[in-house]
Amino acid sequence: MSKLRKIASIERGIEEILQALSDQEIQETIGKGSSYLRKCSDPGRNSEGKDSDGVKRNIDHIESVKLDKKCVQKGISPPLLNAHQLIIEQEKSGRQSDVVDVNKMLIKFSILEGELNKVVIEVTDPASPGGENITRLEKKKVFEAIKRIEDKILKIKLAMDKKK
């Protein structure tokens, strides 16, 4: 049975890397095997970061960047960057006293999705300012709409991670 990892954790990001990349891709990218990453992702390590062998294993930052870049090359969202973002957002939201209502967030997500659809339809319309081509301003509008959705997804993940 696999061990559960907190959503907002480096261990969870590493677990996603292991699902996204093959053993060979991991070896070629960081020069270490997937077994090393599995040990780094073990949520059962003690407070000093040592695993059951008594060895302290942590992924190097440069390795995490290389693995995320490899995922991006494969068209996959960077798991370790996402983990870092979740950890930071969790810290920021921990300083806020308001109670999170997931249902309200889902409604807002639906609204944001509708806004993204509208923007994409507008910029791909042949009668748009760029015609067949998408202008820089139009791209900016699309990316901003996507960013708002990504931010909302992040908040939903954090809210779910807080629930026990």
Side-chain angles (χ1 to χ4, degrees), residues 2 9 11 13-14 16 33 36 50-52 60 63 68 72 75 87 91 96 100 119 123 127 145 151 161:
S2 66
S9 70
E11 291 82 8
I14 295 171
E16 290 178 22
Y36 175 78
K50 295 181 179 179
D51 62 19
S52 58
D60 288 333
E63 291 172 341
D68 272 350
V72 169
I87 293 166
E91 182 65 25
Q96 299 169 352
V100 180
V119 169
V123 303
D151 290 345
D161 202 33

Side-chain angles (χ1 to χ4, degrees), residues 30-116:
I30 63 169
K32 296 177 182 172
S34 57
S35 64
Y36 175 78
L37 287 183
R38 274 191 285 285
K39 290 175 183 174
C40 288
S41 77
D42 183 359
R45 295 180 295 163
N46 67 23
S47 60
E48 297 169 359
K50 295 181 179 179
D51 62 19
S52 58
D53 298 338
V55 177
K56 186 174 183 177
R57 290 187 177 86
N58 291 310
I59 188 167
D60 288 333
H61 183 68
I62 192 68
E63 291 172 341
S64 69
V65 171
K66 288 178 182 179
L67 291 165
D68 272 350
K69 286 172 70 175
K70 185 66 172 179
C71 286
V72 169
Q73 291 168 5
K74 290 183 71 170
I76 301 166
S77 182
L80 290 162
L81 176 60
N82 292 340
H84 280 94
Q85 287 175 317
L86 279 169
I87 293 166
I88 298 303
E89 285 298 322
Q90 191 173 50
E91 182 65 25
K92 287 169 43 180
S93 70
R95 298 181 183 276
Q96 299 169 352
S97 60
D98 58 329
V99 177
V100 180
D101 184 355
V102 176
N103 289 331
K104 287 181 183 178
M105 282 194 275
L106 290 172
I107 291 168
K108 179 67 175 168
F109 177 83
S110 296
I111 293 167
L112 292 172
E113 179 190 19
E115 290 173 4
L116 173 62

Side-chain angles (χ1 to χ4, degrees), residues 132-148:
E132 294 291 318
N133 298 321
I134 299 176
T135 67
R136 287 175 121 169
L137 181 59
E138 291 172 329
K139 281 184 185 180
K140 183 179 179 198
K141 286 180 183 179
V142 171
F143 290 142
E144 287 172 350
I146 291 170
K147 177 69 172 128
R148 286 190 295 272

